Amino acid sequence: MKRLISRAAMGLAVTALAVGGLATTAQAAPAAAADNGDPTLTDVYIWATDVNLRQQPTTDSPRLAVRSQWWGDALCQKQGQTVHDPAVGTNNWWTAVMEFSGSDIAWVNNLYIRGGEKIAGVPDC
């Protein structure tokens, strides 16, 4: 009888570890877009680190914020100053983003947004 109880306890412990391992895996998944954004806008992901968000689509424009690996709501995109980054490439398309619905609008060059030269699903300004 003691042996049966011991085996049952061992089985429960193994099951608990397995379930705990799944929970840990789920928590380690990559971050998704924040739920506090505007559902009518396209979510975009800034994949790079220390990316400047500007007042206008030019590097001469004042910096409003710096973000790293960040989700934002895209309003629209348009051509602006050409940006050349030796590690990434060259692009003159910029996207207007908001951190959450109603926040200030800032511009980020599409070089640093997942999606390529022109971001699919984001309308032109």
Side-chain angles (χ1 to χ4, degrees):
M1 184 68 156
K2 285 185 180 180
R3 183 175 281 168
L4 181 60
I5 291 172
S6 177
R7 285 185 183 169
M10 179 65 82
L12 288 173
V14 169
T15 302
L17 286 173
V19 170
L22 291 175
T24 302
T25 302
Q27 290 173 351
D35 289 334
N36 61 352
D38 186 332
T40 63
L41 301 175
T42 302
D43 291 325
V44 292
Y45 182 66
I46 295 176
W47 59 267
T49 56
D50 300 326
V51 175
N52 293 317
L53 277 64
R54 303 275 182 183
Q55 192 172 40
Q56 297 295 322
T58 173
T59 59
D60 296 330
S61 180
R63 180 176 55 204
L64 300 176
V66 177
R67 295 288 183 259
S68 297
Q69 300 171 343
W70 173 80
W71 286 96
D73 287 331
L75 289 99
C76 62
Q77 60 188 331
K78 70 178 185 178
Q79 292 179 311
Q81 179 187 13
T82 299
V83 173
H84 176 71
D85 183 331
V88 183
T90 302
N91 196 349
N92 69 341
W93 282 93
W94 293 69
T95 297
V97 296
M98 292 188 309
E99 190 160 8
F100 51 87
S101 185
S103 68
D104 291 338
I105 295 170
W107 291 89
V108 62
N109 190 278
N110 287 6
L111 278 175
Y112 307 107
I113 298 176
R114 184 182 296 159
E117 180 180 2
K118 196 169 178 204
I119 311 302
V122 177
D124 291 350
C125 295

